[in-house]
Amino acid sequence: MHYISTRGQTERKTFSDILLMGLAPDGGLMLPEEYPVVSETMLANWRNLSYKNLAFEIISLFATDIPAEDLHNIISRTYTEETFGTPDITPVRTLSDGIKIQALSNGPTLAFKDMAMQFLGNMFEYVLNKQNKQLNILGATSGDTGSAAEYALRGKKGVNVFMLSPEGKMSAFQRAQMFSLQDENIVNIAVKGMFDDCQDIVKAVQNDHSFKEKYHIGTVNSINWGRIVAQVVYYFAGYFRATENNRQEVSFCVPSGNFGNVCAGHIAKQMGLPIKRLIVATNENDVLDQFFKTGEYRPRNTEHTYVTSSPSMDISKASNFERFICDLMERDSSEVASLWAEVGTGKGFNLAFRLPEIREQYGFVSGKSLHRDRLATIKQVFETDGELIDPHTADGVKVAREVRLPDETIICLETALAAKFDETIREAVGDVAIPRPAKLAGLEDLPQRVQVVPNNADVVKMIIREKLDN
């Protein structure tokens, strides 16, 4: 399998090539020339596989340049009961009203990002060793990507991590998870601004081709294809857990900011997984909800991005959205480049005339949830089911309930554990005991290491130079 850029000006690449790449040289995102198609026989054979064996079957369709034995070894080391706390890896449970939740937060940082990042950490080490290369990761996080990346890459040979986060915008738990790491290859940088500012700095550095080449800059942000392909796996796993046979359809409700998680669902659907609808749940930063309701995509500048109680979705420029639009435009790269030129000017674009196709062929529908909605949902689920869900998952449950059709099976993808957002949980349900894994007791009291910088790409480049030139 080979990969091409959404903007059509990059030569075909292999999986190993794009794993270390980040943005394509032409500013686009890499995606397969075509998606593999899963037959009824394959679905039947996969239904009862363990998670790691299912992951091998799916990822091997995309990583065709990695020898099967090596790939199997990497995946076997990644998806273990020891790392994810359960042999099922992503068990599915059902709330009393019939909405299902797929647990994706059993990894080391208690967030769904671990599902892909643990794989990526092992994959990076393997490819770098094979190619005798060094990689310096520059990433941006609104809360969970940073800690998941740092825990996956800490101490890994040949890798440094420079992680940007918006100063003061994450929960105390999220900050402590990242800033308490003392590993030499981890550098935390808090930017005075919003997540979108951090993301813009990453893109600015990626687009400085001489700097990127000299310092071997890569990314683990959700634009990284290795992350997307690992996320495709849990859609299949969730489907098999929630159904009895492969004639049944399910819908997935996905809390969304950067469109990476739901993009993996879109790919699973294109491959032939029986997905009825992909429900995009946003918070107050509802740029994606606006698109799926009206066809207008109008990214906002950071002054108009709200700081909310579901901070991992406080995003107004959905980095992965370009991959879906490329599919929608039937891989017309010049059209995609033209649309993103409009995004670059701040105007955005309007595809209202494609809404029937977006809904019927691709199955997209959306909704939004506000602070009061997530508090009410957390409280209601606690009272009826005796469990605490995090604010992002609550956004998903609220929207799923709102748009559910008669007899529709909806699986909400869990974003994180409630322990990461104790302030909001207590606002919703009062002063209750919030379960936390024993190994994370006292996390916020550990010494923290972080550099606070202005919103300036040149300052970030200077930090990278100082670290790598010494």
Side-chain angles (χ1 to χ4, degrees), residues 170-425:
M170 300 185 295
S171 74
F173 186 102
Q174 288 174 312
R175 289 196 298 272
Q177 272 194 312
M178 290 171 54
F179 301 164
S180 64
L181 291 181
Q182 303 296 323
D183 304 73
E184 274 306 307
N185 71 326
I186 304 295
V187 180
N188 281 301
I189 303 168
V191 176
K192 293 180 178 178
M194 298 294 292
F195 168 74
D196 290 317
D197 295 315
C198 300
Q199 194 160 254
D200 287 344
I201 289 173
V202 171
K203 286 184 176 175
V205 175
Q206 287 268 341
N207 284 322
D208 182 342
H209 298 299
S210 61
F211 184 89
K212 181 180 175 181
E213 193 175 343
K214 180 178 178 182
Y215 291 102
H216 312 292
I217 303 293
T219 182
V220 289
N221 269 36
S222 62
I223 59 171
N224 183 291
W225 178 256
R227 275 185 61 181
I228 300 290
V229 77
Q231 290 175 293
V232 170
V233 176
Y234 55 67
Y235 281 88
F236 281 83
Y239 172 80
F240 293 137
R241 299 286 178 276
T243 58
E244 292 170 3
N245 61 67
N246 298 331
R247 292 183 301 280
Q248 294 172 275
E249 282 188 319
V250 305
S251 297
F252 285 91
C253 184
V254 190
S256 300
N258 235 348
F259 204 77
N261 199 358
V262 77
C263 184
H266 159 68
I267 291 161
K269 182 172 168 63
Q270 298 311 297
M271 290 170 70
L273 187 66
I275 295 175
K276 182 180 180 68
R277 299 197 297 169
L278 290 163
I279 303 161
V280 174
T282 72
N283 64 11
E284 290 85 343
N285 297 294
D286 57 354
V287 169
L288 290 171
D289 182 43
Q290 183 182 344
F291 174 79
F292 288 111
K293 283 198 166 84
T294 69
E296 280 191 274
Y297 182 58
R298 304 267 181 249
R300 298 172 191 151
N301 56 33
T302 51
E303 292 85 48
H304 296 97
T305 301
Y306 300 104
V307 177
T308 78
S309 51
S310 48
S312 298
M313 291 150 63
D314 291 348
I315 297 167
S316 291
K317 294 176 187 169
S319 277
N320 274 285
F321 193 50
E322 187 171 334
R323 285 189 170 111
F324 167 64
I325 295 298
C326 187
D327 286 344
L328 179 65
M329 307 315 284
E330 297 167 348
R331 302 294 180 91
D332 183 339
S333 55
S334 60
E335 183 65 26
V336 174
S338 168
L339 291 174
W340 255 262
E342 292 295 298
V343 171
T345 66
K347 289 182 191 169
F349 52 78
N350 190 332
L351 296 177
F353 67 101
R354 304 299 288 265
L355 279 175
E357 194 181 343
I358 289 166
R359 290 170 184 157
E360 289 153 30
Q361 182 182 334
Y362 292 101
F364 278 101
V365 64
S366 68
K368 80 187 234 186
S369 169
L370 307 176
H371 179 66
R372 64 175 179 271
D373 299 320
R374 67 187 67 99
L375 292 183
T377 304
I378 292 167
K379 185 172 193 285
Q380 192 273 325
V381 169
F382 183 61
E383 288 172 350
T384 57
D385 294 88
E387 67 169 88
L388 293 169
I389 57 174
D390 85 284
H392 311 78
T393 307
D395 288 335
V397 170
K398 184 263 182 184
V399 171
R401 288 171 169 170
E402 195 172 71
V403 305
R404 179 162 48 165
L405 301 171
D407 301 321
E408 184 179 25
T409 299
I410 299 182
I411 304 171
C412 282
L413 296 190
E414 179 183 79
T415 300
L417 293 192
K420 298 191 82 162
F421 305 95
D422 56 353
E423 200 175 303
T424 304
I425 301 299

Side-chain angles (χ1 to χ4, degrees), residues 51-52 55 75-81 84 89 115-116 119 230:
Y51 192 93
K52 65 176 65 170
I75 289 170
S76 294
R77 285 190 288 116
T78 299
Y79 297 111
T80 64
E81 183 175 353
F84 289 95
I89 309 297
M115 294 304 306
F119 167 71

Side-chain angles (χ1 to χ4, degrees), residues 23-43:
L23 276 181
D26 60 13
L29 302 181
M30 303 302 285
L31 78 176
E33 283 185 309
E34 54 188 35
Y35 298 123
V37 175
V38 175
S39 67
E40 286 182 23
T41 306
M42 290 163 80
L43 271 184

Side-chain angles (χ1 to χ4, degrees), residues 112-129:
F112 83 96
K113 305 285 175 76
D114 290 323
M115 294 304 306
M117 211 65 81
Q118 287 290 311
F119 167 71
L120 208 58
N122 289 327
M123 199 78 228
F124 274 165
E125 195 170 47
Y126 168 83
V127 171
L128 290 170
N129 183 48

